[in-house]
Every structure is written in C-alpha cells, then in structure tokens.
Amino acid sequence: MIARGVVTAAGLLLVASVLVFVLVRAAPGDAVDVEFGESGASALLSSEEEAAARAQRARELGLDRSVPEQYVRWLSRVVRLDLGISFRTGRPVADELVERVPASAALGGAGFLVALAGAWLIGLLSARRPGGLLDHVLRLLSLAATAVPTFLLGSLALRYAAEWIGYPIAGEASWRRLWLPAVVLGVGAMPVVARLLRASLISEYGRPYALAARARGASPARVTFRHVMRPAFTPLLTLAGLTLASLVAASVITEVIFSWPGVSEYAVAAISAKDYPVVQAYLLLVVVVVVVVNRAVDVIQHLLDPRVGQAAEVMA
Amino acid sequence: MAGIRVKFGAAAVVAALLLAGCGDGNDGSDQPGSGTLRVATSALAASVDPMAELSASYLRSVGAAEGLMRIQPDGTVAPELAEKVEATAPTVWTATLRPNVTFWKGGTVDAKAVVASMERARTENTLAAGLLKDVTVAATGQRTVTFTTKEPTYSLPYALAHYQLVIHNVSGYPAGFSGTDPATADLTGPYRITGFESDRQMVLERNDRWWGGTPGLARVEVRKVADPQARAQIALSGQAEIVQDLPTERAKELEAAPGMSLVAKPAANTVTVYLNPTSTAAPALADQRVRQALAWAVDRQEVVSLATSGLSVPAPSWLASNPAFPDATGQGYTRFDKVTAERLLDEAGWTLGADGKRVKDGKKLTLRLLTFGAEAATGEVLQAQWARLGIDVQVRNVESSLINQSIEKGDWDAVTQAWTTLGDTAKLIAAQIGPGGAANHGKYTDPRIEGLLTQAAGAAQEGERTAAVYELNKLMVELAPSIPVHPRVLATGIAKEVTGFVAHPLQYENIVQPKMTLG
C-alpha cells in the first residue's frame, strides 16, 4: 500500500509540476517586464537599446529559452532539490524557503489546533441537546464565522488587538504575535469541522453500544468521553486533512495581513514581481504538503480502522 | 496504546513546529525614546547591492546610499558627495569631491573610486547605463572627476542626482557575492546596514565616519509591511515612528490621530490617462477635439477629493507635478469646463441623444479605461464624470504588466500611468511626446515637437531650455495625447517625536533623513 501511495504521489507531483510551470507563465508579462516597468529605464533608452537590454536580462534569467526547455531544465534541478535562484534577490530559493517554512508551519499548526479545539468544543456542546437554544446559537455563530471573509476578520482583529492590547503588528515570528493570526486562521476553518463532529456525535449517541452504556447507568460525560468520542472522530480524519490543506490556502491572506514572515507572504511578493523560481517552488511546496497530508490521513485511517484499507482493496 | 503514541507523536510534531517557528517574543519593537527609529514601509531593497534591480532607491531612502548630487524638495539639484559640479566646457562637467569622505569600511571616496562606481553602474544596471549614455567618466585629479558628453548636456547634474548612480565601493562587491549579506555592503550614507533580510527587514546603525557630522539617530529599523491597512494600524497605534505609503481612504482617521501627523506631499509624477488615437474599439479618440473634450470634462478637484481623500492636488498639465517648473500649474486644463467639452464633442459630430448618450453615425461614444493599483479610484471618478458628458466608460483595474501588454498589442483605448516628471526634464518630456518616446503610447507626432525637444535639451541659455519645456508642455495640452489628472499621493505618517522630517516630492527615496532626530 505504501509503495502504491508513493508512486501515486510521485505521479501527482509530476502533473502538478507541469501545471504549476504553465500557469505561472500564463499570466501576462514576465520578470523583465516588471523590472523595466518599475525602473523607468525605458524613458532613457532608445527602443533598440531597450530591446537589447531586455534581451540581455531575459538571457540572464533563462527566459529566452522555450517554455518546454525551461521546464526540463527546472525539473532536472528540482529532482536534485535545487529550486533555482530568486530573480529578485539572487539567493537560492531553497534557502529562502527554509528560512520561512518554520514560521508558516507554526502558524498553520497553531491555526489547525485552534480549529480542532474550537470545533471539538462547539460540536460537543451542540450535540448535547440537538435543536436546543445552545445548538441554535452555536449554529448561528458558525454560520457567521463561515460567512466573514478571512481578510475582513483578520483586518478587524488586527485593528482592535493593536488598539486595545498593543498587539505588535510587525516583527519576527514570535509567540506574542502568533496567537492572533492563528485564531483568525482557526476560526475560518472551525465551523465545518464543528458541524461534522456534531452530526457524528449525534449519530454515535444513537447507536446500540452508546444506548447500552447509558442503560447500564453510565453518566452522559462518561458515555461521551469513554465510548462515543473516538468513533465520532474517525470520519473527521479525512476532513481534518482537507482542513489542513485549506489552511495552507487561507494562510496566504493571513500572512499578508499580519505581516507574518512565512512562505505565503514571500510568495505573494514573488507573484507581483513574476519571480518564477520562487512562485514555482512555493506552489510545488503547497502541492507536496497537500499530497503528504492526504496520504498521512489515509495511513492513519487505515491504522485506526483496518476496514478502510480492506474496503479500498475490495474496490480496487 | 498505538493510538496514544500517535496522539503524542502528533502533539510533539506540532509543538516542535511551533517552537521552531517562533522566536522568544522579543521582537525589539519596544524601544521608545532609545534613539531607534522604526520605519514601516511597503517595499524594501531586494539587495544590499545598489546596482541590483529595484534596490538603489530603497537604499537611498533609508539613509544608506548617497550620490554625487541630490534633488532637493523644491525640485532643484544640489551637491551631496560632490562639493560642486560645474560645466567647465560645453560638453564637460567637472565634479569636485568633498574632502575626507569615506566609505563605511574606511576606504576613501576619491575620484578613482567614483569612476569605478560609475563604470560598474553602467555595466551592471540598465537604468544607470541609460543615465550615462554617451557620457565618458574620468578621474582627472585626486578629487576631480570629469564627465564628457558627446553633445552639450545641461541636465547632467540631474543624472548625477539619480538614485541609480549612488556611489558604492566597487571592491566591496566582488563577482558572485551575496546580495543579501550586509557585511558586503560598502556605501557612504549616514546609516550603515548591519542587518538585512530580503523583503522583510533592514537594520541600520549610525555611521560615525559620515562626512556631514553625527547623524541624528543611533539606529534605524525598517520593516516591510505589505498590507496597507496593517501599515495604517501601525501608524495609529504608534508602533513605528515613520509609516510610509498609507492608504488614502483612511486619511481622516490618520489626520485626527494623536501622536502623529500625516504628511502628504504630492509626488513628482502625474497620474495621466493615455489615449489611443488608433483604437478600433474607440475610433473617436482619433479626433483631437474628442480628446480635448475628455480633458476639459475632468473636474480635477472632485477627483482629488474623492479618489485621494484630498491628499493630492489637481494637475492641469503633465509637468505640473514638477516643482522645478512652477508655471506649469498655470498651463493646460486649469479649470473644469463642461461647456467647452460639450461644444467640442458637438463640433466633432458626437451629439447628445435622448438617452443622455453621445452618438455619431448610430454608434455610441464608448471607451475602455485600464487602471493600475491605487489609480482604480481615480478611474472610477473619471468614469462618473465622463458619463455626465454622455460617454460610456468601462473601467478595469489590472496589473501593470497587463497594461503594458495591451499597449504592445495595440488593443487599448485609455490607460492610466504615472511617469516621473522630476529629473532630466528634457528627456522625461521627450519620453511623453517625442518620436519613439517610451510613454508616447499613441505615437503622436507634430512638426513642432522635434525642434522644441532639441531646444529643451541643448539650448545654450537656461531660459531658452526652460521656455522650450514649457512650450512642449503646452503642446501636450493642445494635442491631448494624454489627460493629466493629479500627482500620485505619497502619504507618510510621522510620529510627533520625530523632528527634522522634510516632505519631498521624491519621498520614496527620502524617508530617513540625516538630520532627523527623536525628541
């Protein structure tokens, strides 16, 4: 199963690499256009001189080659873990990514924990009395959290946290700064997980083993935590994997709003500058994270419930 | 048991990531009154090498880099590292360097070092090559550098004041060096770079060897904050003493904030709507009267008020944003004149229909306007104003590269851009209206242009050159290849404890100023 998973993941990455490479170049203009547009050099050069200078810069950046040739050269480097050199800074992209990955991982991890903890609490409280007042209130709050865009929530949170408690808006990745973007990230992902957990818990409460436990005199808390919680969590594993992947996407906005020095903020600046090596490396990293997380979820599900693996084999 | 191990393992991984990703919480931002100036900015130098693309202006803005000359707030040019720069023959300029100027690491800034810096600039940077085109640079004494031009070039001091010709110690930048290692940087400015993280932050400390005396601050910390709303919040909460490029829509809130002031000097560039006379989608633009009508129908005061929260000023002509040519504010579309606009459209055959739309030969008067960045707001106000004239305008805010691509393909009607007006004015205005000019997108021609451009660049008397520039500016109003609207806004938040900050039309390269102190 692991070997098959590795082969599938490798195939996915190859397809993704082609898509990433083509999509990045599909946007109008390139790094040379950006550099010349921003520098104002064209006002001082004749059209021939400008064309020659642009051609020279394109040669330096390797953009004078055909796109397939650029792709083959890039891929041959990537398989050796050489992600190329940033057009803007002249530094190896791998080095720049490595510097930023810990901050992004910290934010993603903290956001994920916030989402799970919040969802657990909401799911638990909602499932205690389905249709009750608390359930309705929590559903409304969940809907509100889903409806508010991350950029708005982030901007408001930043505004009031800075005004009221002096939250440091700019700076390094620090504990003092982590909690707020993590909450914003987590709140966005929380409602879906909470709703699924609620449904899962309600379903489990109705199963014979839970009813039998109640009949034997077990308290509601004991039924929940001793008997129901674990099976109720199992369907959430897949969703948790997807949630982690969606957090990667949401972190783009969050990192920019909070000036969080992670890979997403780095990638946004690179996109504006058409810094292809950086954008390609970032997108590939995102694909790797999503693929790895989903594979890991499959494996964990298999470990927790061997019937999942057997069912997959039967289907195959 | 296995489940417990998985849970503990996951918790350990998350904890490790959190620990690895976070510092100790001491981000060094709590040092009020310590002589540390904190600056929040929208962009940072990509490299500590001023010849790397998109680096020199940022290095100059934070007080790290200096040139032989520098443009002053009134638009004139004054010596910086040079003691004086004078024309010693029609095609020769001689720069005499200040005595006792050194690079950060102690090397002397003598004529040889300046020549080496200029030559490296010419080789490494396209913009610098453009500035030094047809200019021979030679050391003719210990402190004397001569610049010999092919033809009389009266604007050379402006070229020497350009940020791309800042003086750097060439031996400090060997081939293959890392552009992000602050230890390699060797410049002359009052503040030397001691910390550099590309695209994130820069730390500078006082340069005790600075030729101008003791700089006013001990330390400068510059951080990039990409989100404009976050920058506004930093200004409001006093988390930086200088915050650059604030969003204009929050002007009132920022102006009312205690502890800071909002400085909004109109920039030396004019937001201009360029018009395509060969557009097949908007053939009306081929008619000069239609283009003039569009220009007269712009209520610039209203645009400034709505699109820039009153932080900019109307620009009746393209040159109006250049403080060195103050009479340009009296040229061109100095008033909002809807009556003239309507008359011109009527004369051009675009009559007003019952539905309030202008029509000619059964076709409506329409055009597509592409805007970029903050100019989206300007575009929307123009759309409303031109609609009152009976013109349908579609506005799209796009990336600048898409605008350039549309121009290259010829598939455009109108686009906004804001080219610099301050510097070598003859060259800059030639780019707007001259044959093959980089901003002459509509390829406009007129028999008067070439003669005036020659006079603007090469007339022996300064008065004649100035007159030619003004005449070209007037010609741009007459031909209406483009519609000037207003200078870009450079809104900077300055904390009350900062003294000595001077507003500058090139604010983006004049943020940290040597005499600035923290009170």
Side-chain angles (χ1 to χ4, degrees), chain B residues 45-64:
Chain B
S47 166
V48 296
D49 178 5
M51 293 310 122
E53 294 295 337
L54 310 179
S55 295
S57 66
Y58 301 110
L59 292 173
R60 193 174 224 189
S61 80
V62 296

Side-chain angles (χ1 to χ4, degrees), chain A residues 129-150:
Chain A
R129 192 159 302 170
L133 180 64
L134 189 60
D135 187 26
H136 283 303
V137 169
L138 290 173
R139 190 169 64 229
L140 280 174
L141 287 175
S142 296
L143 276 172
T146 311
V148 177
T150 306

Side-chain angles (χ1 to χ4, degrees), chain A residues 16-66:
Chain A
S17 73
V18 175
L19 283 174
V20 161
F21 203 85
V22 172
L23 286 175
V24 164
R25 280 160 177 74
D30 60 19
V32 179
D33 292 328
V34 173
E35 283 182 9
F36 275 76
E38 290 190 17
S39 81
S42 49
L44 302 165
L45 302 170
S46 68
S47 49
E48 295 79 20
E49 287 166 335
E50 187 187 343
R54 278 174 176 264
Q56 164 69 19
R57 185 66 179 142
R59 263 195 304 281
E60 287 167 11
L61 301 179
L63 298 174
D64 57 329
R65 302 170 195 274
S66 68

